[in-house]
Amino acid sequence: MNADSDYDIIVIGAGHAGCEAALAAARMGFSTAIFTMSLDTIGQMSCNPAIGGLAKSHLVKEIDALGGEMAKITDLAGIQFKVLNKSKGPAVWATRVQADRALYRKYMREALEAQTGLDIRQESIEEILIDKNEVSGVRTNEQTYKSKTVIIATGTFLNGLIHIGLDNFPAGRIGEPPSINLSNSLHVLGFKIGRLKTGTPPRLDAKSIDFSVMGVQDGDVPPPPMSLFTKEITNPQLPCYMTYTNEHTHQTILDNLEHSPLYSGVIKGIGPRYCPSIEDKVVRFKEKTRHQIFLEPEGLDSDEYYANGISTSLPREVQIKFVRSIKGLENAKINKFGYAIEYDFVYPTQLKPTLETKLIEGLFLAGQINGTSGYEEAAAQGLVAGINAALKLKNKQPFITGRHEAYIGVLIDDLVTKGTNEPYRMFTSRAEYRLLLRQDNADLRLLEKGHDLGLINIELYESFLKKKEAVEKELKRIKTTRVKPQIINPVLEKLGGSLIKEDASLYQLLKRPEVKYANIAEVSPSNNGISTDVINQVEIQTKYKGYIQRQAELAEKFKKVEEKTIPGDFVYRGINGLSTEIVEKLEEVRPLNLGQAGRIPGVTPAAISLLMIAVAKQKR
């Protein structure tokens, strides 16, 4: 092997997907190279300066439990930490972190540079090289690199086109060239390629903003870390600010729709339904007289604020006009104008659940190239692609998480089974087993798998085992410890709860909605000095035991259906009763099992019954 030009695994793109893929591949023992157009944009937060949020923090914590990097870097770069939905049940609790863009890039680059077995190369990939339907390497402008596996994680760079008003120009991000030849290479190889669109709001100069007339949003104190392995947050913390659009803002936008590339037909790609531009909001929600805007700091040493909520591709002069119609922004200076970007993506039904393509062996795709939107969705795919590329080279079973095991499993199953024709974003509502897949128990669900893969070291694994043991020990203690009415009733009275007449276990008391762990610890403290993490687990597992148990039983039934596998070479044509349309859908997706087959849009329960009989018959 030529040390300068041959690798086991090549990763194209050093965004959130590419970084996770490259780190996982190298940590699993393979010579890896990550290619980027610019070393200065490794780990770039192209859009909002935040990680996590509703459903997305579940993905980040799962990445963390499996040995990925995103949560650790987020904690190093975080300048505001907040747990959302605290007033609701634990299934929808979500941590959101404002991050310093420059620090995030700095720490992610340092992680890549420190990783043994990983080379970073500043070159543009022009072509994927194939030998008899197997990937054999890549070609840049300068030379050819041989590789046994390739992971493409190009974000919005494939044939990227930026729009500001009716002006447009090729770019992967503002100020960076697109990757056009690579997109053509994929098309020539036979991949079905579509077109998507996303956008970003203007960045505003802090010195020109009147924060005194806006609502202030502070983070939680103390800041709750994103990573399981972070002991404390050391960065100074900054607030966010909140303001609103108004009827004058909306009228300015409506008066200039003819100059919008979105409404004048210039943009052909489909945009994100759940994160619309301000033009879309004003047109679609005419009954609303205002829309919320969050001003988010870009960093500790930055004077820029990200205006979350007014993503736009209107002309520059219109952006200035409507921004200055907003309370607190009357004198705002726009440092960077908002824009829309169109880019190519590969329809994800052309992938296996490992994220390897069905068309070319050894070629994996991860991130926005698969039609997703968001740093977290990209990073999760990158980690899975990196793991599976490494396992393929080890001739080991692939790593596939089920929908009942992880949000990562939901994400990938949705993509490869249902596909997407709009930017896919993760929501808690997409998961059938939300109460099992909480952000607080990501380690209990996945950390052992991360250790088995070689991505969680022995020290962290042993720490996890101690936590698991402490939870079990404390649950046992509160189940067996009973208190007398005269001891606990004064506490219950203060809480407004009904008093007890007989001895009760601490476990019975903690099941009450008004009783917190701190209340039972007041009358019967643990002698083990348990951590906040352990206390949270004990409280959640006690209060929600019935619900969790019911979901676990449903998940077990689901698992049995998923275990009814379909042979890879199974012939669907010729099964009596299956329509041509259903046969075509089954042949396109090639489901691994009956459960996945049932989730393909348009495949009916009746078709699954016929398929079940046919599969059983073939196996006999």
Side-chain angles (χ1 to χ4, degrees):
M1 181 177 274
N2 184 327
D4 289 329
S5 61
D6 293 355
Y7 295 95
D8 294 317
I9 298 172
I10 281 175
V11 179
I12 305 170
H16 302 284
C19 289
E20 294 292 353
L23 287 167
R27 287 167 180 170
M28 290 176 73
F30 290 97
S31 64
T32 306
I34 185 168
F35 285 77
T36 176
M37 290 187 182
S38 171
L39 298 177
D40 295 330
T41 56
I42 289 172
Q44 174 81 302
M45 303 179 83
S46 308
C47 197
N48 63 315
I51 300 287
L54 303 180
K56 291 170 173 276
S57 67
H58 294 66
L59 290 171
V60 181
K61 287 177 179 285
E62 289 175 358
I63 291 165
D64 194 44
L66 289 167
E69 201 68 19
M70 177 173 263
K72 299 183 190 73
I73 302 298
T74 299
D75 287 343
L76 289 170
I79 53 178
Q80 189 195 94
F81 294 73
K82 195 173 187 67
V83 177
L84 311 176
N85 282 342
K86 257 304 204 181
S87 61
K88 299 181 181 178
V92 293
W93 292 349
T95 305
R96 189 172 192 272
V97 182
Q98 294 297 142
D100 182 308
R101 284 184 195 276
L103 286 179
Y104 196 96
R105 285 198 309 270
K106 172 182 180 289
Y107 288 123
M108 186 59 85
R109 180 171 174 175
E110 286 178 1
L112 296 183
E113 289 173 341
Q115 180 58 51
T116 305
L118 175 60
D119 288 349
I120 306 170
R121 293 190 174 273
Q122 184 173 280
E123 293 180 63
S124 176
I125 303 294
E126 301 293 311
E127 184 183 2
I128 305 297
L129 303 178
I130 305 300
D131 182 16
K132 296 176 184 173
N133 286 334
E134 289 184 23
V135 75
S136 61
V138 298
R139 182 181 62 78
T140 72
N141 278 331
E142 299 171 17
Q143 71 176 96
T144 295
Y145 295 87
K146 292 181 182 177
S147 179
K148 300 170 185 173
T149 54
V150 172
I151 301 167
I152 306 179
T154 44
T156 59
F157 278 74
L158 281 187
N159 213 5
L161 185 69
I162 280 179
H163 298 267
I164 303 176
L166 300 182
D167 297 334
N168 56 66
F169 49 90
R173 268 191 302 251
I174 200 77
E176 297 180 62
S179 178
I180 293 172
N181 290 339
L182 181 56
S183 185
N184 293 338
S185 174
L186 291 171
H187 185 77
V188 169
L189 289 172
F191 287 100
K192 184 184 175 187
I193 291 171
R195 196 86 169 140
L196 293 178
K197 166 254 174 189
T198 190
T200 189
R203 272 67 160 180
L204 310 178
D205 188 332
K207 298 187 292 295
S208 66
I209 300 171
D210 183 1
F211 294 110
S212 67
V213 298
M214 298 181 182
V216 181
Q217 276 216 331
D218 291 308
D220 293 347
V221 180
M226 184 67 86
S227 174
L228 299 158
F229 314 114
T230 301
K231 301 302 179 192
E232 65 172 330
I233 303 301
T234 56
N235 283 338
Q237 300 294 287
L238 299 180
C240 294
Y241 296 90
M242 190 169 57
T243 185
Y244 295 88
T245 61
N246 53 57
E247 290 179 352
H248 182 201
T249 314
H250 298 180
Q251 194 57 53
T252 302
I253 290 165
L254 291 170
D255 289 346
N256 287 278
L257 283 181
E258 64 189 36
H259 305 298
S260 163
L262 193 61
Y263 283 91
S264 59
V266 175
I267 290 177
K268 306 298 182 189
I270 299 168
R273 193 191 331 172
Y274 306 105
C275 188
S277 66
I278 189 61
E279 299 97 288
D280 251 351
K281 289 181 190 176
V282 170
V283 171
R284 285 165 52 191
F285 307 110
K286 288 181 180 173
E287 71 286 355
K288 292 196 75 169
T289 56
R290 65 179 195 169
H291 293 284
Q292 202 171 53
I293 303 167
F294 289 99
L295 294 179
E296 303 171 348
E298 298 260 316
L300 294 170
D301 298 322
S302 173
D303 280 334
E304 281 187 356
Y305 272 74
Y306 177 92
N308 194 341
I310 52 169
S311 175
T312 184
S313 56
L314 284 164
R316 295 169 181 84
E317 62 275 12
V318 180
Q319 291 189 39
I320 293 170
K321 193 174 178 183
F322 86 68
V323 164
R324 288 182 177 172
S325 72
I326 296 164
K327 188 176 181 180
L329 303 181
E330 292 85 355
N331 300 302
K333 179 187 172 188
I334 297 178
N335 287 351
K336 294 171 187 164
F337 288 94
Y339 62 86
I341 181 165
E342 286 186 282
Y343 56 94
D344 288 349
F345 81 106
V346 173
Y347 286 96
T349 50
Q350 298 170 95
L351 304 173
K352 301 173 186 175
T354 58
L355 297 183
E356 184 180 18
T357 65
K358 296 170 185 173
L359 194 60
I360 306 295
E361 190 172 345
L363 181 62
F364 294 77
L365 308 183
Q368 282 180 282
I369 190 173
N370 292 337
T372 58
S373 169
Y375 309 144
E376 303 83 359
E377 290 88 342
Q381 293 171 74
L383 179 65
V384 169
I387 289 170
N388 280 315
L391 291 174
K392 184 178 182 69
L393 297 182
K394 289 183 178 185
N395 292 315
K396 289 191 174 181
Q397 285 296 309
F399 175 72
I400 301 170
T401 56
R403 298 180 72 91
H404 62 295
E405 293 177 304
Y407 270 82
I408 292 174
V410 175
L411 165 69
I412 293 175
D413 183 65
D414 277 354
L415 291 173
V416 304
T417 304
K418 301 174 184 177
T420 189
N421 57 6
E422 64 179 356
Y424 177 102
R425 178 179 177 180
M426 180 50 71
F427 294 101
T428 54
S429 58
R430 294 191 190 272
E432 300 89 335
Y433 308 104
R434 292 193 290 280
L435 205 47
L436 300 182
L437 309 182
R438 308 182 309 273
Q439 71 161 20
D440 65 86
N441 71 350
D443 55 343
L444 298 174
R445 291 183 280 118
L446 297 172
L447 196 137
E448 196 150 343
K449 293 179 188 287
H451 176 254
D452 292 343
L453 289 164
L455 296 173
I456 296 288
N457 65 38
I458 190 65
E459 184 186 347
L460 296 175
Y461 182 59
E462 285 176 352
S463 174
F464 158 72
L465 291 178
K466 284 177 186 173
K467 173 189 167 179
K468 196 175 173 184
E469 185 184 358
V471 171
E472 290 165 1
K473 197 171 180 179
E474 185 60 7
L475 281 168
K476 185 177 179 182
R477 184 187 80 85
I478 66 171
K479 284 176 182 176
T480 55
T481 303
R482 302 183 73 80
V483 291
K484 295 187 178 298
Q486 60 266 36
I487 303 261
I488 194 65
N489 277 343
V491 175
L492 296 176
E493 195 170 10
K494 267 191 227 174
L495 297 171
S498 57
L499 307 184
I500 62 170
K501 294 177 182 176
E502 299 175 351
D503 293 2
S505 71
L506 298 176
Y507 185 77
Q508 287 172 302
L509 294 165
L510 188 55
K511 285 179 81 71
R512 293 183 173 204
E514 75 274 12
V515 176
K516 305 295 181 193
Y517 180 88
N519 303 130
I520 64 168
E522 190 182 323
V523 297
S524 178
S526 169
N527 297 321
N528 301 320
I530 57 178
S531 68
T532 304
D533 263 1
V534 171
I535 290 169
N536 287 341
Q537 277 307 308
V538 168
E539 193 162 325
I540 290 167
Q541 289 186 33
T542 301
K543 287 188 181 297
Y544 296 92
K545 184 185 176 183
Y547 301 105
I548 292 170
Q549 201 167 329
R550 279 197 291 276
Q551 283 216 342
E553 287 166 3
L554 286 171
E556 192 55 38
K557 288 179 185 174
F558 167 84
K559 189 179 172 186
K560 285 176 182 174
V561 178
E562 297 292 298
E563 285 170 352
K564 293 179 179 176
T565 58
I566 301 173
D569 58 354
F570 187 79
V571 179
Y572 294 99
R573 292 186 185 277
I575 298 175
N576 287 333
L578 284 191
S579 69
T580 303
E581 181 190 356
I582 287 175
V583 167
E584 285 172 354
K585 287 181 176 182
L586 290 166
E587 287 180 335
E588 179 190 8
V589 174
R590 286 261 149 215
L592 298 181
N593 51 59
L594 290 173
Q596 188 186 2
R599 292 190 294 277
I600 299 171
V603 175
T604 62
I608 293 300
S609 297
L610 293 169
L611 184 57
M612 189 185 300
I613 294 164
V615 169
K617 188 177 178 183
Q618 179 173 307
K619 285 182 177 178
R620 283 199 302 271

